[in-house]
Amino acid sequence: MHLSKVEGTAAMHEMEVKEAGRVLNSPCFSIPIAENVRLKLYAKTNKRIRFEIVHSELWNQRAALLKEAGLKPETGGRSWNEVPHLLKALRQRAAKHMNNVMEHLRLFQRRN
C-alpha cells in the first residue's frame, strides 16, 4: 500500500467552511487498500486531515456482513431494527482497515 498506487486517484473535494460561509476545494486522494475498499484522505482545515474508509459492492458481500453483524441470512425484507447491527459491523471493518493504514504509515516513517 503506497500513496503512489496505480489505481489511486486524486480529485477536488468540496468543503464548506461554516464559520466563513464559504465553499473551498481540497485535493482528495482515493487509494484502493483492499477488495472493494478505498481509503480517501483530504484536508479538512489547514491543520487537520480527514481519513475515510469507503466500502463498495456491499450487496455482493451481504452474507458475510450479516454473519459479522450476528444476523441470520434470510430471504425477503429485513427489519429496520437490524440496521444498528449492520452499521456496527461496518464500523468494525473500517476500524481494522484504518488500523492497518496507521500501522503501515508508522512502519514507513521508521524506515525513512
Side-chain angles (χ1 to χ4, degrees), residues 38-56:
R38 295 184 76 81
L39 169 68
K40 286 188 174 183
L41 55 122
Y42 54 90
K44 287 284 286 177
T45 68
N46 62 346
K47 295 181 182 179
R48 290 187 290 164
I49 296 175
R50 181 178 181 113
F51 289 79
E52 292 180 358
I53 300 294
V54 180
H55 301 272
S56 61

Side-chain angles (χ1 to χ4, degrees), residues 3 6 9 21 27 31 48 51 91 98 103-104:
L3 298 181
V6 175
T9 60
I31 304 148
R48 290 187 290 164
F51 289 79
R91 281 194 314 268
M98 210 50 238
E103 182 60 25
H104 175 79

Side-chain angles (χ1 to χ4, degrees), residues 37-93:
V37 180
R38 295 184 76 81
L39 169 68
K40 286 188 174 183
L41 55 122
Y42 54 90
K44 287 284 286 177
T45 68
N46 62 346
K47 295 181 182 179
R48 290 187 290 164
I49 296 175
R50 181 178 181 113
F51 289 79
E52 292 180 358
I53 300 294
V54 180
H55 301 272
S56 61
E57 304 291 328
L58 288 175
W59 179 254
N60 296 332
Q61 303 170 35
R62 65 188 174 280
L65 182 58
L66 288 168
K67 185 177 179 181
E68 289 173 39
L71 304 171
K72 294 181 182 177
E74 302 168 354
T75 57
R78 309 291 309 188
S79 167
W80 283 103
N81 296 334
E82 296 175 345
V83 171
H85 302 289
L86 293 169
L87 291 175
K88 181 178 179 183
L90 285 171
R91 281 194 314 268
Q92 289 172 339
R93 279 186 181 186

